[in-house]
Amino acid sequence: MNWAAIEGIASVAGAIGVVISITFLIYEVRHNARAIEGATVQSLMTLEREVFGLLAENAELMTKGGKNPAALTDVEQYQYERGVGTYMSLIYSAYMQHERELVEDEVWDAYLNALARHMQAPGFSESWLQISIGYPKSFQDLIKERFPQSSQAKSIT
């Protein structure tokens, strides 16, 4: 037997095995990343349903506060701010998942586009100014940058 030939064949077989292993590993990592992204999006959608349900249950208050925050009583103002906070927590959750690259840009853009509609309501942007201190600076800065008009709303206190 020619040991050099056997060694050569073993080396080639080993190299092929390494290539197959690396290819399989790449496939598994990509598959796992897609599964994690899918689970993250599903989790966000579940949270979204809960938030929207809560806001819908308080539709009269949310509509009134969005249009004319000065018309709210102190108790209503507190409830309205909690509604805005609940919605912004959903947006923050999507932001964090996007920052961690667990959701695609397209999903994050959809959340920002939905937020744009709410930021047009005077009461919403005023309430955001009041509660924004409770969120990380990076998120506050992103909202200021994306919605500069909201950072110029009159303070409600």
Side-chain angles (χ1 to χ4, degrees):
M1 273 212 179
N2 185 348
W3 287 108
I6 293 174
E7 241 179 61
I9 292 171
S11 292
V12 169
I16 291 171
V18 168
V19 170
I20 290 171
S21 294
I22 290 173
T23 302
F24 179 73
L25 182 61
I26 290 169
Y27 169 80
E28 284 298 315
V29 167
R30 286 183 180 166
H31 179 73
N32 189 38
R34 282 192 295 270
I36 290 171
E37 182 177 348
T40 300
V41 169
Q42 184 63 40
S43 175
L44 280 172
M45 295 188 97
T46 299
L47 179 59
E48 187 176 311
R49 262 192 319 275
E50 292 173 14
V51 168
F52 289 169
L54 179 67
L55 297 179
E57 288 174 13
N58 296 286
E60 186 176 328
L61 173 69
M62 296 308 294
T63 302
K64 181 179 175 183
K67 288 181 182 176
N68 186 7
L72 298 175
T73 67
D74 288 345
V75 170
E76 288 174 328
Q77 181 62 48
Y78 178 82
Q79 292 170 328
Y80 182 75
E81 282 184 7
R82 298 298 68 78
V84 171
T86 298
Y87 184 79
M88 291 306 290
S89 291
L90 168 65
I91 300 300
Y92 177 67
S93 182
Y95 165 74
M96 288 305 301
Q97 302 307 325
H98 180 258
E99 287 295 298
R100 293 178 179 148
E101 298 181 3
L102 296 173
V103 296
E104 294 180 8
D105 292 344
E106 185 178 42
V107 173
W108 173 232
D109 288 342
Y111 278 96
L112 286 175
N113 291 337
L115 178 57
R117 193 176 116 239
H118 293 285
M119 283 297 199
Q120 292 174 2
F124 192 96
S125 56
E126 288 180 18
S127 288
W128 165 246
L129 282 179
Q130 296 301 309
I131 65 171
S132 63
I133 192 72
Y135 292 85
K137 185 169 179 349
S138 61
F139 183 65
Q140 292 177 43
D141 291 346
L142 173 106
I143 299 299
K144 278 182 197 173
E145 180 182 312
R146 180 72 185 236
F147 306 101
Q149 72 282 4
S150 70
S151 61
Q152 298 171 7
K154 295 187 318 186
S155 177
I156 55 178
T157 57

